[in-house]
Amino acid sequence: MWPHSLKNRIFILVFVLFTFIFVLTIVSVYSSARQLVEEQIHARLDVGSRIFTNELSLITRKLESNAATIADDWALRDAIGQSADQASLLSIITNHSERVSADAAMLVDLDGTILADTHSLNANDFRQLYDPGSSSQGAAGTRLTLLSGKWYFI
């Protein structure tokens, strides 16, 4: 008699409909909330990416400006041209790197021989400087390179 009475059938129908509507509402709210969260995450990642790219661009321009300043220094050119001893060259590049707030500086001849180096690179680190797969190439020859476990703009 329980499922056959009209009152019970109406009750079951109303209960099933309310349950269906309740589940549908929960799924809809969950789906909308998830989509909103994903959109917010993508927007924040996009902003972060633009800020990071802008900062890298500023650092690159500063690096290029500092390199141009050092390259135009006649005293440095004269010291290199006179083939000064390694201690003098090290002193000169140390002073120049301090002037532009560089973490490291090196002087390399056209054959790839390190004449002076403030960072004491080992042979593997030096080879990485010329390995295109080991760094991210940027504008005007600047690049981001991992040397001795620390990232540098070269």
Side-chain angles (χ1 to χ4, degrees):
M1 177 148 172
W2 155 248
H4 297 293
S5 98
L6 182 62
K7 208 175 10 174
N8 289 339
R9 286 182 180 182
I10 292 173
F11 174 76
I12 291 172
L13 178 66
V14 170
F15 180 77
V16 169
L17 285 175
F18 277 135
T19 304
F20 178 73
I21 291 171
F22 179 72
V23 169
L24 188 63
T25 302
I26 287 178
V27 168
S28 176
V29 168
Y30 174 77
S31 175
S32 296
R34 181 181 174 103
Q35 183 179 1
L36 180 65
V37 167
E38 285 180 4
E39 288 173 1
Q40 289 177 349
I41 289 172
H42 286 293
R44 288 181 181 189
L45 286 174
D46 187 44
V47 169
S49 172
R50 281 187 270 137
I51 290 171
F52 182 74
T53 303
N54 187 39
E55 289 295 319
L56 285 179
S57 176
L58 290 173
I59 291 169
T60 300
R61 279 185 258 153
K62 181 180 176 187
L63 177 67
E64 291 167 355
S65 174
N66 289 342
T69 300
I70 291 173
D72 290 340
D73 189 332
W74 285 103
L76 177 63
R77 288 180 175 193
D78 189 44
I80 294 170
Q82 292 179 8
S83 298
D85 62 293
Q86 187 174 8
S88 299
L89 291 175
L90 182 59
S91 174
I92 291 168
I93 67 168
T94 300
N95 289 337
H96 280 76
S97 66
E98 288 173 359
R99 186 171 83 182
V100 296
S101 301
D103 291 330
M106 70 169 45
L107 182 61
V108 181
D109 68 6
L110 296 175
D111 297 329
T113 305
I114 300 175
L115 302 175
D117 175 23
T118 62
H119 190 65
S120 302
L121 290 175
N122 62 39
N124 290 335
D125 286 342
F126 184 68
R127 270 188 244 116
Q128 282 182 343
L129 293 176
Y130 295 104
D131 180 13
S134 69
S135 61
S136 173
Q137 189 73 27
T142 61
R143 60 183 169 177
L144 190 59
T145 303
L146 181 65
L147 298 174
S148 300
K150 187 175 177 185
W151 288 99
Y152 292 94
F153 262 112
I154 305 294

